[in-house]
Amino acid sequence: MPVLQSCSKTDNKATGGATGSALSSDAASAVYVAPGKHDEYYSFLSGGFSGQVAVYGLPSGRLLKVIPVFSQNPENGYGYNENTKPMLNTSFGFVPWDDLHHPKLSRANETTDGRWLFVNGNNTPRIARIDLKTFETVEIVEIPNSAGNHCSPYPTNNNEYVVAGTRFSVPVTPEGKLQDVSLKEYKDKFRGTISFLKVDKDHGDMNLDFQIMVPGFDYDLANGGKGPSSDWIFFTSYNTEKAGTLKEVGASQNDKDYLLCVNWKLAAKYAAEGKAREIPANYAHNKMNHETNQATSTMKKSVKILLPEECPDMLYLIPVPKSPHGVDIDPSGENIVISGKLASVIPVHSFSKMQTAIKNKDYIGDINGIPVLKYESVLQAEVKEPGLGPLHTEFDGKGNAYSSMFVSSEVVKWSLKDFKVKDRIPVYYSIGHLMIPGGDTKNPSSKYLLAMNKITKDRYLPTGPELAQAGQLIDISGEKMKMLLDFPLIGEPHYAQAIAAEKIAPNSAKMYKLDANKHPYATKKEADTKVVKNGNRVDVYMTAIRSHLTPDNIEGIEVGNEVYFHVTNLEQDWDVPHGFAVMGAQNAELLIMPGATNTFKWVPTKTGVFPFYCTDFCSALHQEMQGYARVSPKGSNVPIAFSTGEKRKAPSQP
């Protein structure tokens, strides 16, 4: 259960902490969700270095599910079982981990629609799509010519594209050759890329449509415009010095870095008209087929790339305070808010002034053919004395903006009318991201804000050197912000999205239809179970139903055989999964949803009799849901035999 904490520092000797007294009863009642009742919102939080997504209900803070995306998950066998292993394939081979940063919900008419969740892999550049009917990862696309896929993934307002930028520039040429160059040649040989993945409007399937080659800066974060700016997407960049080492010093020399402004519709037009050149590439595109419940991985060998020098009016640069982090666009689409980590102000740029500056060619120069606009020409205002270490901003739809202050550990509320600070509230400690449901769309909520804090120190019971991060739910419905809830978070929450539960819950799948199961090894009734041996391969066609596995006695397996257990869950009832595990198997269990088939690979390394059983408690006789596999020496003449109950079946032939 979430732990309620005070938002004020007090002498808390009685409980052994440094902070303290209980929150008010009003705050407790505001987040109380009675047993059997549901939360107002689903929230999706990045798992950071866990490579997963955590789903919490708001306002209760209850953990509902952990969705594995880029990391193997022993809880349900994702990335271990034969069905899902291909999801983690890359051009580097099988990569069972990543650093997941930024969840973004799919869009329709500039607001969230609840169909899919897009997330990024930061370490090995990838974008994944989660189906919110099943809460399962159904697609992962690797991003070539990229490294450190941080400013990603950002959907355009009707899911036309999901867009990604590279944090680390790479030594790539316009011909697509990744060079083996000296690191001393960083300034001359390294370039960045912006990738555009086209999204199928009906099914969500992604395809890498084209990339834009950009200057060799480090691209940090991005966000798309709205309304008048909806054809544009904006990227913060740092290290415009192009320092290749000790960047905390080398990348902080310039007074200003740049905001990259991309007219994505014009870029797509250029690509469609043949302006893009096709260059060699090598990247994986992995997809899950729900009819067969099997993933496939396809290696792609080329990508189209646009050069700014050949595509006028596609890109512009705006000077911004050095070392910028977040860029956020208000619901009107007019105000572009830049958070400079080292800045003493929060600059707000005007989209309409930007358009005027472009029309008047109000430039101070160009970089790689990209015009650089004058800072003063596009500046709307500067928020004075907001706090220390601004990182991110979200909006409430009532003319207010809320910015996170990492160094001063607070959320600051300021007005989009006069750009003056209206309120501030301390958070514990060192806030990174913050999130308002719909706060990055044209229709934000004005009820809750979730602060995601990097450091917890004394907030919870100590758990050794490694501590959880913290989520703090704040009421923003009134003039003054009020702390409502304090609860620990798993992984490292870099960002979150939240959406009204009514947009997702009615469409949530309850099971898979058994008669629609097209898995090639599906067994839809017990009478069809069998064991087939073909050379060194053994296929076990198995069924699971409360409370037995069929077959539950298997003989004729030899040491070193590759044994595939294809387990079909015959249940057609909601919330009745079955598990499967074999003693000594060097992977993880299976967790099979009703009506589905999953495949478990086992290569026995020694002789003996090995128990297998259902791992998910399913009935009063769950403990009895078990069986044995006999493993004989290599080359033995023990025939294949299998049974459930006393009747033994004859061996099956391939």
Side-chain angles (χ1 to χ4, degrees):
M1 261 183 87
V3 179
L4 297 179
Q5 296 274 4
S6 170
C7 63
S8 63
K9 283 273 204 176
T10 64
D11 183 10
N12 192 24
K13 293 179 181 177
T15 58
T19 61
S21 59
L23 293 172
S24 70
S25 59
D26 288 344
S29 63
V31 300
Y32 178 69
V33 178
K37 301 298 181 182
H38 294 173
D39 281 284
E40 295 175 61
Y41 293 95
Y42 286 99
S43 66
F44 301 91
L45 277 67
S46 73
F49 38 66
S50 76
Q52 302 170 331
V53 171
V55 186
Y56 294 87
L58 294 179
S60 73
R62 296 187 294 202
L63 178 63
L64 303 176
K65 185 177 179 65
V66 175
I67 305 172
V69 183
F70 299 116
S71 295
Q72 291 176 299
N73 184 24
E75 182 179 350
N76 63 8
Y78 177 86
Y80 288 99
N81 63 47
E82 299 305 298
N83 304 60
T84 57
K85 276 182 183 177
M87 295 299 289
L88 302 181
N89 188 43
T90 74
S91 62
F92 301 93
F94 183 75
V95 178
W97 171 86
D98 217 312
D99 183 16
L100 188 155
H101 275 230
H102 304 126
K104 281 283 188 175
L105 288 159
S106 56
R107 310 295 172 96
N109 300 316
E110 301 189 344
T111 191
T112 53
D113 64 12
R115 290 194 292 169
W116 309 300
L117 184 74
F118 301 100
V119 296
N120 66 314
N122 186 32
N123 184 59
T124 302
R126 290 175 280 183
I127 291 178
R129 178 171 59 91
I130 296 168
D131 187 339
L132 294 181
K133 287 184 178 179
T134 60
F135 283 64
E136 294 175 348
T137 303
V138 294
E139 188 173 19
I140 297 178
V141 180
E142 187 181 1
I143 309 297
N145 303 319
S146 178
N149 177 43
H150 189 258
C151 50
S152 166
Y154 297 95
T156 55
N157 286 314
N158 283 290
N159 295 331
E160 298 95 340
Y161 286 97
V162 171
V163 186
T166 181
R167 173 182 171 189
F168 301 100
S169 287
V170 293
V172 62
T173 68
E175 295 73 36
K177 182 181 179 182
L178 284 170
Q179 304 175 93
D180 176 16
V181 302
S182 168
L183 296 179
K184 294 179 181 179
E185 299 181 272
Y186 183 95
K187 287 187 177 182
D188 299 324
K189 297 292 181 69
F190 283 63
R191 298 289 293 269
T193 57
I194 308 295
S195 302
F196 290 77
L197 282 74
K198 201 172 187 67
V199 180
D200 181 90
K201 65 179 182 179
D202 297 319
H203 305 291
D205 295 337
M206 301 181 292
N207 280 291
L208 180 53
D209 192 18
F210 64 93
Q211 295 181 317
I212 302 174
M213 187 168 285
V214 290
F217 308 151
D218 292 28
Y219 296 87
D220 199 357
L221 287 168
N223 257 309
K226 309 171 186 69
S229 58
S230 61
D231 293 354
W232 293 76
I233 189 164
F234 306 90
F235 293 82
T236 56
S237 69
Y238 62 99
N239 192 30
T240 54
E241 300 86 349
K242 298 185 180 179
T245 184
L246 197 62
K247 291 192 179 186
E248 65 175 343
V249 175
S252 301
Q253 298 302 302
N254 293 341
D255 183 54
K256 293 282 195 294
D257 283 309
Y258 294 113
L259 180 72
L260 177 68
C261 310
V262 181
N263 186 328
W264 67 263
K265 278 201 173 175
L266 182 58
K269 182 173 180 288
Y270 279 138
E273 291 174 348
K275 284 269 189 180
R277 58 184 71 184
E278 191 163 349
I279 63 174
N282 185 36
Y283 64 98
H285 188 169
N286 310 328
K287 295 176 69 172
M288 172 60 72
N289 183 322
H290 269 313
E291 289 187 338
T292 63
N293 199 33
Q294 284 193 306
T296 56
S297 180
T298 304
M299 297 305 298
K300 301 293 186 72
K301 295 299 183 181
S302 67
V303 65
K304 293 187 294 183
I305 198 157
L306 294 170
L307 300 181
E309 301 91 330
E310 300 173 357
C311 301
D313 304 319
M314 181 175 68
L315 304 180
Y316 294 90
L317 291 167
I318 298 175
V320 295
K322 64 182 175 181
S323 299
H325 192 53
V327 52
D328 302 283
I329 294 83
D330 82 328
S332 74
E334 166 64 13
N335 295 301
I336 306 166
V337 181
I338 309 298
S339 297
K341 301 189 292 288
L342 305 177
S344 59
V345 298
I346 299 176
V348 181
H349 292 298
S350 162
F351 180 74
S352 57
K353 287 185 177 182
M354 179 185 122
Q355 295 298 99
T356 301
I358 291 172
K359 181 180 179 181
N360 295 336
K361 298 187 183 301
D362 200 358
Y363 309 149
I364 59 173
D366 75 90
I367 298 173
N368 293 123
I370 306 170
V372 181
L373 303 175
K374 287 183 181 178
Y375 179 79
E376 295 78 11
S377 298
V378 296
L379 184 67
Q380 181 85 289
E382 291 179 337
V383 181
K384 307 292 186 181
E385 299 181 354
L388 301 177
L391 292 182
H392 304 280
T393 300
E394 297 244 322
F395 309 93
D396 66 3
K398 298 192 298 184
N400 300 307
Y402 300 78
S403 297
S404 59
M405 301 290 158
F406 177 79
V407 178
S408 52
S409 291
E410 58 185 332
V411 174
V412 174
K413 176 182 178 180
W414 51 275
S415 170
L416 286 163
K417 296 177 181 177
D418 60 13
F419 304 99
K420 292 183 179 179
V421 173
K422 299 173 68 175
D423 190 26
R424 59 182 75 231
I425 187 171
V427 290
Y428 305 99
Y429 305 96
S430 300
I431 181 174
H433 280 275
L434 73 174
M435 179 275 292
I436 294 171
D440 60 341
T441 73
K442 73 173 184 180
N443 293 317
S445 168
S446 56
K447 192 170 185 179
Y448 301 121
L449 179 150
L450 181 66
M452 289 161 276
N453 308 323
K454 303 294 187 183
I455 298 173
T456 53
K457 296 287 189 182
D458 53 5
R459 298 303 291 175
Y460 313 118
L461 290 172
T463 56
E466 183 182 0
L467 303 176
Q469 282 77 38
Q472 292 186 306
L473 192 68
I474 298 169
D475 180 351
I476 59 170
S477 61
E479 285 299 309
K480 295 291 184 181
M481 295 179 281
K482 298 178 182 177
M483 186 71 70
L484 296 177
L485 183 67
D486 186 325
F487 59 106
L489 303 174
I490 64 171
E492 185 183 0
H494 290 273
Y495 187 51
Q497 294 268 269
I499 186 172
E502 63 193 23
K503 284 191 173 184
I504 292 180
N507 302 316
S508 186
K510 293 187 174 181
M511 69 193 76
Y512 296 102
K513 292 182 179 179
L514 186 62
D515 57 7
N517 183 339
K518 294 183 180 180
H519 190 287
Y521 294 94
T523 306
K524 299 181 182 181
K525 55 185 179 180
E526 287 187 2
D528 293 337
T529 58
K530 58 186 176 180
V531 179
V532 178
K533 189 172 186 180
N534 186 8
N536 197 51
R537 178 179 174 124
V538 179
D539 289 285
V540 180
Y541 296 72
M542 180 178 282
T543 60
I545 194 168
R546 288 167 288 184
S547 296
H548 60 273
L549 299 163
T550 303
D552 65 6
N553 276 203
I554 303 170
E555 298 185 50
I557 297 170
E558 299 175 17
V559 170
N561 281 168
E562 293 184 348
V563 184
Y564 295 86
F565 290 90
H566 312 288
V567 186
T568 301
N569 184 342
L570 298 180
E571 309 284 357
Q572 290 291 267
D573 191 8
W574 189 23
D575 198 19
V576 189
H578 288 300
F580 181 80
V582 180
M583 186 178 81
Q586 296 174 339
N587 44 26
E589 65 156 356
L590 290 181
L591 191 63
I592 313 109
M593 295 301 111
T597 302
N598 281 358
T599 297
F600 178 100
K601 182 180 179 180
W602 175 46
V603 181
T605 59
K606 57 185 179 181
T607 61
V609 176
F610 296 83
F612 53 79
Y613 68 105
C614 174
T615 56
D616 193 282
F617 202 99
C618 54
S619 70
L621 295 177
H622 165 76
Q623 291 294 88
E624 284 76 9
M625 197 167 174
Q626 61 188 56
Y628 291 101
R630 176 187 171 190
V631 178
S632 301
K634 190 71 175 176
S636 66
N637 58 2
V638 178
I640 288 288
F642 56 96
S643 64
T644 299
E646 296 300 322
K647 187 175 180 180
R648 298 176 68 80
K649 292 189 177 182
S652 297
Q653 300 300 319

